[in-house]
Amino acid sequence: MLFLLAIPALVLLFFVISTFFGKKRPSNAPPTASVGAPVVGNYIKFGQNPVEFMQECAAKYGRMFTVNLVGKNLTFLIGPECSAPFYQLGDDKMSQNEVYGFMEPVFGPGVVYSAEPKKRTQQMQCAANGLRAARLKAYVSKIEDEMRVYMKQNLSADSGEINLLDVLSELTILTASRCLHGDDVRENMFAEVSRIYHDLDKGITPISFFFPNAPIPAHTKRDKARQEMVDIFSKVIRARRQEDRAISDQRTDLLQLFIDFTYKEDGTSLTDSQITGLLIALLFAGQHTSSITSTWTTFLLMFNPKCMEEALKEQQQVLAERAKEFGGDIAKVPLDFDLIGNMEYLQNCVKETLRMYPPLIMLMRMAMDDIETTLDGKKYIIPKGDICVTSPALSGRLDDVFKNSNGFEPDRFSPERNEQKTPFAYLGFGAGRHACIGQQFGLLQVKTIVSILVRNYKFESVDQVLPEADYAAMVVGPKNHLRVRYTKLPNCTM
């Protein structure tokens, strides 16, 4: 509590230091932005709604501007032209480690953003190997089986009302645990892992970015939860290391990949704590984004009947041949990797959802050197030490890039329109050197979930209002009007 009371004084102190003792910026640096009341205006506006804050600054100063927050210069790069260096340059010029270091208490030392670059690259390569097509093929049936069991248990009545986000959040973590952690964790320890994950998740707050070790209750719970997670997975790791190699070789989950992983330079393995940290990182990266995206996609199809009609038409076309084995009933067709891959319109619906409602509204890097970029052809210098910020939330709503940008139009990703063709215009999965390694798994997971939902249920919004985005959250999802009325279709298999 004392720490929270001290924040206003810290803000004033940082303002005085940056104003009177800060390093002079180049004449062609981006303009310094300020909105609202003097000194505190930026903090208030940013804290209330970061997207509205960025929109207001962009309207006043253009698509590139710098804001000083808590002694840090944040340079915002909105749109594909000025943000190109952000995505093109390596970590020696645009570094992730310095800005995402606040996640170390969650992931632990020596992994992801606290690992030295060569080791982090190898860790990510290992994770990427577990998310390639060969393994994804095994994941489809796991996702579908989890979903069918869950829906039979929780949507067993012929009709009813549910909070769609709650249902899909539970379902997503179940399917992610099955694929990423493995059958032994999912079947024997899931409830405990899920409880601990919740405390870890709540331990990341806006304060964490600036003060990751601040003595607040959320951080205390976070630290305890991380140690509990290490203790749980250490038992699993020890058991797996003692089992017959033939059994280990049959496993398709990422936990086994991390257990078997060794660094190229010296052949050392990951510690139990590091393996746990990588599993936490992957769950963080995928659980929120997939649950939020499947929720938004379902709502947007509900509120756009023509798009729902087109999605159902595609389901019939893609599954018709296989449905002959089940009396022509597409609801009974078990999905596989190839069938999911052929659902192109559904994929465009998911991509359009991510364009309109990206779960991560800001991506960050630190400029490790003076960085040159352009806006409307004019050259600018981003000074060394600035935290560079791009915003998928704003970039996805630029009318000069995406026509009718506030409209849900999945066909904008069709070959005929191809509106994502401009490099770094579409940021649904990031872009460039650090694009999301789990993109294919995420698409597979969301498409599988939505395909099964629309073939078995009809959904209606109870409030008949599209939810609002919760821009005050670290990972942005829908925040209200989340109750839906479901009705089983005549051929429902749940």
Side-chain angles (χ1 to χ4, degrees):
M1 181 61 72
L2 288 175
F3 177 81
L4 295 176
L5 293 173
I7 287 179
L10 289 171
V11 167
L12 182 59
L13 176 62
F14 282 125
F15 172 77
V16 171
I17 291 172
S18 60
T19 301
F20 296 102
F21 303 99
K23 182 180 177 182
K24 186 176 181 181
R25 297 172 68 77
S27 58
N28 59 343
T32 300
S34 178
V35 295
V39 183
V40 297
N42 285 346
Y43 294 92
I44 294 171
K45 294 273 188 175
F46 185 82
Q48 289 174 336
N49 189 317
V51 170
E52 287 185 1
F53 169 78
M54 290 185 284
Q55 288 172 332
E56 188 173 344
C57 288
K60 187 175 180 181
Y61 297 96
R63 290 185 181 177
M64 183 161 48
F65 52 88
T66 299
V67 175
N68 187 279
L69 291 174
V70 195
K72 301 177 186 288
N73 284 317
L74 276 63
T75 293
F76 291 80
L77 309 167
I78 310 299
E81 182 189 358
C82 62
S83 66
F86 181 97
Y87 297 106
Q88 290 171 329
L89 298 175
D91 281 311
D92 59 327
K93 298 291 185 181
M94 281 280 187
S95 176
Q96 290 184 311
N97 287 24
E98 281 71 17
V99 291
Y100 291 114
F102 70 94
M103 293 299 295
E104 182 174 338
V106 177
F107 300 155
V111 294
V112 196
Y113 304 118
S114 64
E116 55 188 80
K118 284 186 178 180
K119 288 192 172 182
R120 176 155 64 92
T121 298
Q122 291 179 61
Q123 291 169 8
M124 293 302 100
Q125 287 172 344
C126 177
N129 288 337
L131 299 171
R132 294 214 166 107
R135 286 179 180 262
L136 292 179
K137 289 179 180 180
Y139 293 161
V140 177
S141 61
K142 292 177 182 288
I143 295 170
E144 181 163 15
D145 290 347
E146 282 286 353
M147 185 167 183
R148 289 191 178 279
V149 170
Y150 181 88
M151 301 306 269
K152 285 178 181 178
Q153 291 175 345
N154 294 277
L155 278 77
S156 58
D158 289 339
S159 63
E161 288 186 13
I162 56 170
N163 180 306
L164 188 61
L165 179 60
D166 286 349
V167 166
L168 294 183
S169 293
E170 290 176 8
L171 184 57
T172 301
I173 197 169
L174 285 167
T175 59
S177 180
R178 176 74 69 179
C179 297
L180 305 182
H181 299 158
D183 295 339
D184 45 355
V185 176
R186 166 65 189 92
E187 291 165 9
N188 301 315
M189 304 175 184
F190 174 75
E192 200 171 2
V193 169
S194 181
R195 173 189 63 79
I196 297 168
Y197 173 79
H198 179 269
D199 286 345
L200 278 168
D201 185 31
K202 295 302 180 184
I204 303 173
T205 71
I207 290 175
S208 305
F209 174 71
F210 297 104
F211 309 104
N213 295 304
I216 59 175
H219 288 171
T220 302
K221 277 190 173 182
R222 173 201 68 193
D223 296 343
K224 180 183 177 185
R226 189 186 187 283
Q227 187 55 54
E228 285 186 85
M229 195 77 92
V230 172
D231 293 342
I232 286 175
F233 277 106
S234 291
K235 294 176 185 176
V236 178
I237 293 165
R238 282 197 298 272
R240 287 203 185 186
R241 283 179 170 149
Q242 293 171 3
E243 70 186 5
D244 189 274
R245 188 66 234 180
I247 297 174
S248 300
D249 290 342
Q250 293 299 311
R251 297 189 185 278
T252 60
D253 53 79
L254 268 79
L255 172 55
Q256 190 62 47
L257 273 182
F258 292 142
I259 291 172
D260 295 338
F261 169 81
T262 57
Y263 289 109
K264 294 175 183 178
E265 295 83 2
D266 54 15
T268 57
S269 302
L270 294 165
T271 66
D272 292 358
S273 175
Q274 290 168 341
I275 291 172
T276 303
L278 287 168
L279 291 172
I280 292 170
L282 287 170
L283 201 56
F284 262 81
Q287 195 274 334
H288 277 308
T289 52
S290 291
S291 61
I292 286 169
T293 301
S294 54
T295 301
W296 276 121
T297 301
T298 306
F299 267 112
L300 288 166
L301 287 171
M302 267 189 267
F303 279 86
N304 293 272
K306 288 185 178 179
C307 296
M308 177 67 89
E309 183 180 337
E310 190 65 28
L312 289 170
K313 179 181 174 183
E314 180 185 65
Q315 294 293 303
Q316 184 67 48
Q317 291 171 341
V318 170
L319 301 175
E321 185 64 29
R322 193 73 60 83
K324 291 177 182 178
E325 303 170 24
F326 302 92
D329 188 349
I330 64 169
K332 293 180 179 177
V333 175
L335 296 174
D336 62 34
F337 183 77
D338 293 328
L339 289 173
I340 293 292
N342 289 332
M343 296 176 184
E344 295 180 3
Y345 185 78
L346 182 56
Q347 176 147 319
N348 288 343
C349 289
V350 177
K351 290 176 68 175
E352 178 71 339
T353 297
L354 285 166
R355 178 192 69 80
M356 297 183 71
Y357 296 102
L360 299 178
I361 58 172
M362 295 186 297
L363 306 174
M364 298 182 291
R365 309 276 189 272
M366 178 173 281
M368 306 304 288
D369 202 346
D370 287 353
I371 304 295
E372 184 178 294
T373 190
T374 63
L375 181 61
D376 299 326
K378 181 181 177 182
K379 290 184 180 180
Y380 290 85
I381 293 293
I382 302 168
K384 177 181 178 180
D386 276 18
I387 295 176
C388 299
V389 183
T390 64
S391 174
L394 264 65
S395 295
R397 301 289 185 120
L398 298 175
D399 281 321
D400 55 326
V401 179
F402 298 103
K403 296 176 183 177
N404 185 30
S405 65
N406 290 323
F408 182 70
E409 299 180 9
D411 281 333
R412 73 174 73 249
F413 297 104
S414 66
E416 293 76 21
R417 290 179 63 175
N418 194 25
E419 292 184 13
Q420 80 276 25
K421 62 183 180 295
T422 302
F424 316 120
Y426 178 71
L427 303 174
F429 292 94
R433 289 172 175 264
H434 295 294
C436 176
I437 62 170
Q439 175 176 346
Q440 296 308 315
F441 176 74
L443 283 170
L444 184 86
Q445 189 180 32
V446 174
K447 288 170 70 178
T448 301
I449 289 171
V450 176
S451 171
I452 294 172
L453 286 178
V454 299
R455 285 185 287 128
N456 287 276
Y457 300 94
K458 179 183 178 182
F459 292 99
E460 294 178 277
S461 166
V462 171
D463 297 337
Q464 294 296 304
V465 178
L466 187 68
E468 298 173 84
D470 185 7
Y471 289 126
M474 292 290 284
V475 182
V476 175
K479 70 174 179 178
N480 50 19
H481 309 299
L482 292 167
R483 295 201 66 76
V484 300
R485 187 176 297 108
Y486 74 87
T487 304
K488 285 185 176 180
L489 296 175
N491 60 342
C492 179
T493 59
M494 305 295 181

